[in-house]
Amino acid sequence: MANIASALLILVLAAPAAYAATTYTVGDSSGWNTLGDYTTWVSGKTFTVGDSLLFKYSSTHTVAEVSKDDYDSCSTSNLGKTYTDGSSTVPLSTAGPMYFICSTSGHCSGGMKLAITVVAASGTPSTPTTPAPPVDDGSTTPSTTSGSPPTAPSTPVTPPPPSKADNGATSILYNMMLGVFLAFGTTVALMGQ
């Protein structure tokens, strides 16, 4: 019995370390419609490679992936992948910006459009940029090119994405497992009396 309790304890403690992909329902309970404020809906959310978007909408709407220019102008002339089934899941498989519009006439210009930025998963290794080592020419004076002072590297430094530990699903899973562990532990303790 002690081995089972130990195994369950290890499982509970390891659970928060596991990455749980999130499915975001666009517009939450309101879904994908002309009344949504998708700029507000996006704020505060971190979309990570491996997550997905779930669009729920009526037959009068569509979901179309578009370029930034087509998003900005609400152009439907160069639609990417288009969904029309009323409940569409879009996997977020690549880091970078993604743009979606409803291609029904007038809907995008009425605000039915969504722009998100997908960040790399925290476990995804990035390629660090390492400057070339300095050449030792025996001089104690820093070298310059064409008499100009040395400049800092132009490669921007991107901070890592927020931790998935802040994910609500992970918290719920952790709390459920903790509850199971406590119930199991209490049962074992009462049986031993």
Side-chain angles (χ1 to χ4, degrees):
M1 207 46 106
N3 287 341
I4 294 173
S6 297
L8 190 55
L9 177 62
I10 290 169
L11 180 64
V12 167
L13 295 176
Y19 170 75
T22 301
T23 298
Y24 293 94
T25 301
V26 176
D28 296 322
S29 61
S30 299
W32 178 241
N33 60 57
T34 55
L35 302 175
D37 178 0
Y38 300 104
T39 302
T40 301
W41 179 80
V42 165
S43 66
K45 291 179 176 59
T46 301
F47 303 98
T48 305
V49 170
D51 290 345
S52 59
L53 297 177
L54 174 60
F55 289 86
K56 292 185 177 185
Y57 50 98
S58 72
S59 61
T60 60
H61 302 300
T62 65
V63 177
E65 293 184 47
V66 295
S67 67
K68 179 173 179 5
D69 288 340
D70 290 341
Y71 170 85
D72 290 339
S73 65
C74 287
S75 172
T76 58
S77 60
N78 297 310
L79 298 178
K81 185 154 181 141
T82 302
Y83 304 87
T84 59
D85 65 354
S87 182
S88 306
T89 300
V90 178
L92 306 180
S93 55
T94 307
M98 292 183 78
Y99 304 94
F100 303 90
I101 65 170
C102 177
S103 60
T104 303
S105 180
H107 289 195
C108 175
S109 58
M112 201 169 169
K113 59 187 195 174
L114 173 69
I116 66 168
T117 300
V118 181
V119 297
S122 58
T124 305
S126 59
T127 307
T129 307
T130 306
V135 177
D136 185 9
D137 62 0
S139 169
T140 58
T141 307
S143 63
T144 60
T145 308
S146 307
S148 62
T151 58
S154 62
T155 305
V157 177
T158 306
S163 167
K164 276 294 188 182
D166 297 335
N167 180 329
T170 303
S171 296
I172 291 169
L173 176 66
Y174 179 74
N175 286 333
M176 286 175 46
M177 291 180 71
L178 184 59
V180 168
F181 176 72
L182 290 174
F184 180 75
T186 303
T187 303
V188 169
L190 291 174
M191 287 175 46
Q193 291 183 354

